[in-house]
Amino acid sequence: MTLTHGALHAAIGRHFIDHGTAPSIAQLSRMFALDEVIVADALRALAAYHGVVLHPTSGEIWAMHPFSAAPTLFWVESGGRGWWGNCAWCSLGIVALLGANATITTRLGGEATPVTLRIENGAVNPPDYYVHFPIPMSQAWDNVTYTCSTMLVFETPAAVDRWCARHAIPRGDVQPLPNVWAFAQAWYGRHLDPHWTKWTTDEARALFERFGLTSPTWALPATAERF
């Protein structure tokens, strides 16, 4: 395989699906029949492209959205296998890539109350939950790990208001869970394509608009080339 952004991204995603873990630099080196130094450089380039998140000291893969290699508040299960999702949006993205029935286990607002979401025959149940997006998309990659940690599930928009006041976190956009599920399918649907590239900013804006994501939270700077 040629070591392009798309081929590397697809190989990482496929390894996550098949094994539940991120491939190591050594494993990727064997997959591509290339020296580990070359693979490590390619991973750093992919990270600069915002296609992967690397551990700050080892350079190994920490996350490749929608998958996380480290424990999170979101556990996705399907067919006796499991994966960590970075956030509510990512967890639904994992289910989209699996193309199978699945369950997502999390806690409301990242606090004490557990909740299980089931995606069966293309529908999410129960449907009457919400996802909060507190960080503006224009700032999402300033600290993407923190950004993902705040994209949580809530019972009602009023519960979001109380949570924001309790934790001194600004309120962002609140979306019904079924809409986020539909959006996640479109956003993550091509992540296993070996010719994958990030959405252009215009493409991202069009997707946001398609799913009614038009609040200031979803505004992207005109100078950004891809998101």
Side-chain angles (χ1 to χ4, degrees):
M1 293 185 288
T2 303
L3 191 61
T4 62
H5 279 345
L8 183 56
H9 189 267
I12 295 166
R14 178 52 61 188
H15 193 279
F16 264 115
I17 287 178
D18 292 344
H19 303 283
T21 62
S24 66
I25 292 172
Q27 288 172 314
L28 288 168
S29 173
R30 292 192 290 273
M31 285 182 206
F32 286 92
L34 292 170
D35 188 273
E36 290 184 24
V37 173
I38 295 173
V39 171
D41 285 343
L43 282 172
R44 284 191 289 271
L46 186 60
Y49 185 66
H50 293 167
V52 69
V53 180
L54 303 180
H55 191 282
T57 54
S58 69
E60 297 285 355
I61 297 163
W62 198 351
M64 192 207 83
H65 298 81
F67 301 97
S68 174
T72 71
L73 279 170
F74 291 87
W75 180 244
V76 181
E77 291 183 282
S78 180
R81 298 179 297 156
W83 304 263
W84 285 306
N86 297 284
C87 61
W89 176 13
C90 282
S91 299
L92 292 165
I94 291 173
V95 180
L97 289 176
L98 294 174
N101 293 343
T103 61
I104 300 171
T105 303
T106 186
R107 297 200 304 274
L108 294 179
E111 296 178 343
T113 305
V115 63
T116 298
L117 309 173
R118 294 175 177 81
I119 296 84
E120 299 173 326
N121 302 318
V124 59
N125 291 293
D128 50 351
Y129 284 102
Y130 294 82
V131 178
H132 181 214
F133 297 86
I135 308 300
M137 291 298 116
S138 61
Q139 301 170 22
W141 280 93
D142 292 354
N143 184 340
V144 73
T145 301
Y146 175 74
T147 297
C148 284
S149 74
T150 62
M151 294 181 185
L152 302 169
V153 176
F154 292 84
E155 285 185 294
T156 64
V160 175
D161 295 337
R162 294 190 294 271
W163 182 89
C164 289
R166 189 161 58 250
H167 296 291
I169 293 177
R171 189 187 194 276
D173 191 41
V174 178
Q175 288 290 322
L177 183 63
N179 193 48
V180 180
W181 164 231
F183 173 52
Q185 292 175 80
W187 186 264
Y188 285 111
R190 65 183 193 183
H191 267 46
L192 298 180
D193 186 339
H195 302 292
W196 166 89
T197 59
K198 290 183 70 66
W199 299 106
T200 67
T201 303
D202 285 344
E203 289 171 337
R205 287 196 192 99
L207 270 176
F208 294 169
E209 186 172 352
R210 174 180 162 191
F211 293 98
L213 307 175
T214 55
S215 78
T217 296
W218 299 91
L220 296 175
T223 55
E225 293 184 5
R226 292 185 179 271
F227 181 76

